[in-house]
Amino acid sequence: MKNSVIVVGAGGAGLVAALNAHKSGAKVIVITKEYPTRSQTSMAQGGINAALSNIEEDSIELHVQNTLKSAHGLANIDAVNFLCQSAPEAVMWLDSIGVPFSRTKENKIAQRKLGGAYAARACYAQDYTGLKILHTLYDRCLAEGIEILNERYLLEFITCFDKDKPFVSGVSVLNKRDGEVEIYEAQSVVVATGGYSRVFHNYSTNSVASSGDGIASAFRAGARVSDMEFIQFHPTALKNSSILISESARGAGGYLVNSMGDRFTNELAPRDEVARAINDEILKGNDVFLDIRHLGEEFIKNELPQEAKLAKLYENIDPVYDLIPIKPAAHYTMGGIEVDENSSTCIDGLYAVGECANHKVHGANRLGGNSLLELIVFGKQAGESAAKYAKNFDKTTDMSGQKNIADEQIREIKEHKNKINFYAKQRELGELFYKYVGIKRDKLSLQNVLNEVIKIKKDLQKMGVSDKTKEYNTNLIEFLEFKNMLELCELILISALSRQESRGAHFRVDAPNINEKFEAHTVVSKERVVSYEN
């Protein structure tokens, strides 16, 4: 079909891209492996940053300064300026389409202060901000008649060549419902598949679906990735489940205390600093707690209802009266698919947006409240860029044989000798990553984990699926996710080994200081060549 755009992923970034591609005149299909309302965007609780006129002491310039400071020298100034200058318009657009933001007594959009911010800048909807944005975007897509194909698992991005330069021509997916491979042709594709922090397995705040499928598939297709070593640990995940407790709880005045009841850090410092401070307390043998009791029952009920519910459900405590036991957990991945100022990858017609992409606005450490903003601002850009490219598309494509290729790959996996349980390997890898590729790292440990990853990759032929059926074969899907995560684990490790310094979320105990030599982005090509580029 002429002038068609495929969006892979139906979280906030994908739905914004779909709406804007549709508005630009393209025929849009959204493909998602679950359902839009289950996407990771729904877990973003704290708010979306924008320097509105509500707060006199705030400005776009201060928003830029906070973002650059948090990025530790690795953000692109032009991209950050674009992000922050676009923020007020982005929030006003969300307000205009029906996002139910909390309000002040003057009926202005309510804002709260998050870590690393000079002012109360995060526009919020109680502590359900991402969820309410997501549901509103989904409603808009349905109202516009945008086609959404649920329960399709991404296999590969299909590319063709024009004078030896690759361009995207479609995608292959596995229909989870009937187990059949499906091929979709399009003139341009937007990748909006989310991040990869689930490589930490049970030590992540993210959904089990955050397996980095889009990044791995784009990398195999020839896209470059960058800054894969930068993984943000959220300071306050529930101790026993890694369920996120929003930064809004600290923004409202919550304290961090140790076993002795002592406050030991600035609760509103950037996330990398707070996470390391909590980790140090735990290594000393102390438990760490979030204390919001002093905020009062009425405030907690009205402003932090989700946090109270999660604490009761997963820790069996009532935060109105009890301390909340917490630990840091992998939360957000700053690295991803390398994109330019138009959200385009190095493959013609392939665009990326959201957590799977690297727009170079987060650098070494994302500022809280900027992730929701990024998906609105760059989602609009990606959708418009993809639609423009599709409209002007004039290349010849050949999709013949693509279904046979994908069918054969699935058949081979089902024939693997199931001698090694990949679920056990996945758990082991999560443990290794949390201990040695987490908040603190060193060369020897990183190399040892890389050796283990390489060994597991070599043993993949000995791992397989016990379920050979076609319909709703979750065993097969989870194996495919595991393969993608292994690919990303290797990229994370070679990037972390290459960066011999400490910067933001990447802390090397054997190189504890910033080194100006590494004030550039770590870029990895398909050939596993690591380079540093500004």
Side-chain angles (χ1 to χ4, degrees):
M1 183 179 293
K2 297 277 189 182
N3 196 24
S4 61
V5 175
I6 287 174
V7 178
V8 185
L15 296 183
V16 172
L19 284 167
N20 283 278
H22 173 78
K23 183 180 178 181
S24 299
K27 168 63 178 175
V28 180
I29 297 176
V30 178
I31 295 174
T32 175
K33 73 175 176 180
E34 292 191 328
Y35 289 86
T37 51
R38 295 182 185 175
S39 79
Q40 190 60 36
T41 304
S42 65
M43 296 297 292
Q45 301 163 353
I48 173 171
N49 283 338
L52 306 180
S53 57
N54 303 358
I55 309 295
E56 291 182 5
E57 63 268 27
D58 199 16
S59 66
I60 291 172
E61 290 73 23
L62 286 175
H63 187 184
V64 170
Q65 288 179 31
N66 291 164
T67 302
L68 292 174
K69 181 179 179 181
S70 187
H72 294 273
L74 283 192
N76 179 290
I77 293 177
D78 290 338
V80 171
N81 277 325
F82 177 68
L83 177 76
C84 299
Q85 288 169 5
S86 303
E89 181 184 350
V91 169
M92 290 302 102
W93 176 71
L94 290 173
D95 191 41
S96 73
I97 64 172
V99 173
F101 287 110
S102 296
R103 299 281 171 173
T104 66
K105 292 178 181 179
E106 296 78 24
N107 202 34
K108 294 181 178 179
I109 293 175
Q111 293 175 279
R112 57 167 58 114
K113 188 174 182 179
L114 300 181
Y118 291 155
R121 183 181 300 132
C123 308
Y124 64 92
Q126 291 182 305
D127 52 357
Y128 292 95
T129 311
L131 179 71
K132 294 184 179 183
I133 288 174
L134 181 68
H135 282 218
T136 305
L137 292 171
Y138 183 40
D139 286 345
R140 294 301 304 166
C141 285
L142 294 177
E144 294 292 336
I146 294 172
E147 185 176 6
I148 300 176
L149 301 178
N150 303 309
E151 297 191 313
R152 264 72 170 186
Y153 180 81
L154 172 67
L155 295 173
E156 303 292 351
F157 295 110
I158 300 170
T159 56
C160 297
F161 286 85
D162 179 34
K163 298 177 182 178
D164 295 327
K165 182 167 175 57
F167 66 92
V168 73
S169 54
V171 300
S172 60
V173 302
L174 184 67
N175 187 324
K176 293 163 70 172
R177 296 171 183 173
D178 60 17
E180 292 291 336
V181 169
E182 298 173 346
I183 305 297
Y184 294 92
E185 185 174 359
Q187 283 72 58
S188 62
V189 177
V190 178
V191 194
T193 50
Y196 50 91
S197 71
R198 204 67 197 188
V199 299
F200 289 85
H201 199 48
N202 291 331
Y203 299 95
S204 171
T205 64
N206 282 200
S207 156
V208 293
S210 298
S211 48
D213 304 308
I215 303 172
S217 297
F219 186 73
R220 287 194 294 271
R224 304 196 310 168
V225 297
S226 58
D227 298 335
M228 295 293 287
E229 68 271 34
F230 293 110
I231 299 162
Q232 185 176 80
F233 278 71
H234 199 286
T236 55
L238 290 175
K239 180 181 178 181
N240 295 311
S241 63
S242 296
I243 297 291
L244 176 68
I245 294 296
S246 171
E247 194 163 303
S248 56
R250 284 177 287 131
Y255 302 145
L256 291 173
V257 298
N258 59 22
S259 301
M260 288 75 72
D262 297 328
R263 293 173 68 182
F264 55 87
T265 189
N266 172 10
E267 286 87 359
L268 291 180
R271 288 178 177 175
D272 60 323
E273 296 176 24
V274 181
R276 279 197 296 275
I278 294 172
N279 186 64
D280 288 344
E281 287 294 316
I282 292 172
L283 291 176
K284 293 175 187 175
N286 291 327
D287 289 323
V288 179
F289 304 91
L290 176 64
D291 185 1
I292 60 173
R293 296 173 297 179
H294 56 285
L295 300 180
E297 182 174 4
E298 192 67 20
F299 183 90
I300 293 170
K301 177 183 176 182
N302 292 329
E303 299 294 332
L304 303 172
Q306 183 175 199
E307 315 316 317
K309 181 179 179 180
L310 292 172
K312 291 175 183 177
L313 184 62
Y314 292 99
E315 294 290 338
N316 196 30
I317 60 103
D318 186 343
V320 173
Y321 307 104
D322 305 313
L323 296 171
I324 306 171
I326 54 98
K327 68 181 179 188
H331 177 62
Y332 189 90
T333 47
M334 274 75 76
I337 303 165
E338 180 90 346
V339 294
D340 65 12
E341 66 277 4
N342 298 310
S343 297
S344 177
T345 73
C346 62
I347 300 172
D348 285 351
L350 185 66
Y351 299 82
V353 67
E355 196 174 350
C356 71
N358 186 4
H359 281 92
K360 298 184 177 66
V361 291
H362 304 312
N365 181 53
R366 177 176 66 84
L367 183 71
N370 272 358
S371 59
L372 287 175
L373 176 61
E374 176 192 25
L375 63 85
I376 303 299
V377 171
F378 291 107
K380 179 176 186 290
Q381 180 190 78
E384 291 174 346
S385 297
K388 182 179 179 181
Y389 178 91
K391 184 177 181 180
N392 297 320
F393 185 84
D394 61 354
K395 298 178 175 66
T396 301
T397 61
D398 180 9
M399 303 290 279
S400 63
Q402 290 297 330
K403 186 176 187 306
N404 290 338
I405 292 170
D407 280 331
E408 180 63 18
Q409 291 172 341
I410 298 299
R411 186 190 64 78
E412 287 180 3
I413 288 172
K414 287 186 175 181
E415 290 183 356
H416 283 189
K417 303 298 181 183
N418 200 6
K419 296 180 179 179
I420 300 174
N421 186 333
F422 77 86
Y423 291 112
K425 289 297 177 183
Q426 189 173 12
R427 287 192 298 271
E428 291 172 19
L429 199 56
E431 295 275 354
L432 287 172
F433 258 66
Y434 189 68
K435 189 171 182 179
Y436 300 115
V437 198
I439 294 172
K440 292 189 175 182
R441 308 164 173 181
D442 65 77
K443 180 179 179 180
L444 179 60
S445 297
L446 291 170
Q447 187 62 58
N448 287 340
V449 179
L450 177 58
N451 293 340
E452 182 61 25
V453 168
I454 293 171
K455 181 178 182 299
I456 294 172
K457 288 183 74 174
K458 288 180 179 177
D459 286 339
L460 270 175
Q461 293 292 329
K462 300 175 184 177
M463 304 176 202
V465 294
S466 55
D467 185 354
K468 310 297 183 181
T469 60
K470 297 187 73 172
E471 295 83 4
Y472 283 108
N473 190 335
T474 55
N475 189 202
L476 173 61
I477 298 296
E478 286 159 357
F479 182 79
L480 292 169
E481 289 176 329
F482 177 63
K483 282 187 65 180
N484 283 332
M485 286 191 282
L486 271 180
E487 183 115 47
L488 299 182
C489 284
E490 184 176 356
L491 298 177
I492 293 165
L493 286 159
I494 62 177
S495 300
L497 278 163
S498 177
R499 184 172 289 279
Q500 299 170 47
E501 64 159 357
S502 291
R503 187 185 293 268
H506 173 71
F507 190 87
R508 287 273 297 262
V509 295
D510 53 344
N513 300 313
I514 282 181
N515 185 336
E516 291 183 1
K517 174 185 174 182
F518 296 99
E519 195 163 297
H521 299 279
T522 316
V523 179
V524 188
S525 66
K526 189 176 181 180
E527 295 73 29
R528 302 295 196 276
V529 174
V530 179
S531 60
Y532 283 90
E533 301 177 15
N534 291 313

